[in-house]
Amino acid sequence: MTARALLLEGLKRLQIDDEQAADRLLAFSDLLLEKNKVMNLTAVTDPMEVVTRHFLDCAPLAPYAAGKKVVDVGCGAGFPGMPLAILTDAQVTLLDSLGKRITFLNEVIEALGVENAQAIHARAEEFGHREAFDLATSRAVARLNILAELSLPLVKVGGYFIAMKAVGSDEEIEEAKKGIRLLGGQIERVLDYDVPMAEGRQSRLVIVKKVRETPSKYPRRFQKISAQPL
């Protein structure tokens, strides 16, 4: 099976039928793997694994992002933000503190003509744009109690923060509940799902609803957030 066939079948299982988007994702994969030869962007170097571990792992987020103003906090090499921008009509802001990653992502956005995405070099706690987004999301950046303080202040009341986590993250979720409440959120659902075409691999979405405004003293400086998580 080719990477394209693998991706198309995986997307089909998620009720996503968009060959043009699939081809854009594969073009992104080519750019990612080429840049990865000179810059550490991903530990995944096989095109088939890029499809399963990156694209099909992130694609289940698409229904939550469609039509929304989205910020990907600590986007790294562009996950999940780039797949969400390619697969949906969301307006996606990719946010990362490492300038080289943002330079790469802006090159990708221009090369692929992804008009509904922008990549910005900034730390989440210094970004501003308070309560400006319908959805904040993040994948494998930090523990949930730290991620929540970086992300929830950016979300409108009534919006969502969705963290992509490993299935075995129960303890991490439990320790974050108090901080999430302090930040104006509440965990609405923890959703475990099978990653299509990935041989029994599972991932988890921790879905947090923003139910009231975040107190103005949050977020704190990152050094304080990491030293004394809520």
Side-chain angles (χ1 to χ4, degrees):
M1 182 179 281
T2 65
R4 187 175 191 272
L6 183 71
L7 178 57
L8 286 170
E9 178 59 29
L11 291 175
K12 182 179 177 181
R13 294 185 184 188
L14 295 168
Q15 284 78 52
I16 300 172
D17 184 15
D18 191 335
E19 290 195 25
Q20 184 178 8
D23 288 338
R24 265 181 162 181
L25 287 172
L26 293 171
F28 174 33
S29 176
D30 290 342
L31 293 169
L32 174 66
L33 294 178
E34 184 61 31
K35 180 64 76 171
N36 203 55
K37 294 175 183 177
V38 296
M39 178 183 169
N40 183 24
L41 288 166
T42 176
V44 179
T45 57
D46 177 74
M48 301 288 274
E49 288 200 13
V50 172
V51 168
T52 55
R53 290 182 177 271
H54 287 326
F55 299 153
L56 294 177
D57 185 53
C58 295
L61 260 173
Y64 299 95
K68 302 293 197 302
K69 189 176 180 183
V70 178
V71 59
D72 180 0
V73 175
C75 63
F79 301 105
M82 281 300 300
L84 295 181
I86 290 170
L87 290 169
T88 77
D89 60 349
Q91 294 295 321
V92 179
T93 297
L94 298 127
L95 200 62
D96 202 271
S97 61
L98 189 63
K100 289 182 179 179
R101 291 181 188 144
I102 294 302
T103 298
F104 163 68
L105 290 170
N106 277 318
E107 290 170 356
V108 170
I109 288 166
E110 183 174 359
L112 302 185
V114 185
E115 295 180 355
N116 58 323
Q118 61 174 344
I120 295 178
H121 178 211
R123 301 189 67 91
E125 72 276 15
E126 299 169 357
F127 180 48
H129 298 273
R130 191 175 187 87
E131 301 193 334
F133 294 91
D134 303 302
L135 170 66
T137 187
S138 194
R139 180 190 190 218
V141 173
R143 290 187 73 80
L144 184 59
N145 53 3
I146 293 174
L147 271 181
E149 187 167 351
L150 296 174
S151 303
L152 273 169
L154 299 172
V155 178
K156 298 174 182 177
V157 175
Y160 285 87
F161 160 49
I162 301 180
M164 299 186 69
K165 287 291 179 181
V167 168
S169 57
D170 295 23
E171 181 180 331
E172 185 179 340
I173 293 169
E174 193 62 34
E175 76 174 6
K177 284 182 177 178
K178 177 184 174 184
I180 287 170
R181 285 195 300 271
L182 286 173
L183 294 161
Q186 66 180 27
I187 296 176
E188 185 170 275
R189 187 181 181 195
V190 176
L191 174 65
D192 294 342
Y193 61 93
D194 295 319
V195 179
M197 314 302 288
E199 298 180 2
R201 183 165 174 257
Q202 285 192 313
S203 283
R204 168 174 286 180
L205 300 180
V206 182
I207 302 170
V208 178
K209 186 169 185 178
K210 180 79 170 275
V211 295
R212 60 185 176 277
E213 290 185 5
T214 301
S216 59
K217 62 183 177 180
Y218 303 117
R220 299 165 294 166
R221 296 181 67 83
F222 185 75
Q223 187 175 5
K224 187 86 168 179
I225 295 172
S226 56
Q228 297 179 328
L230 295 175

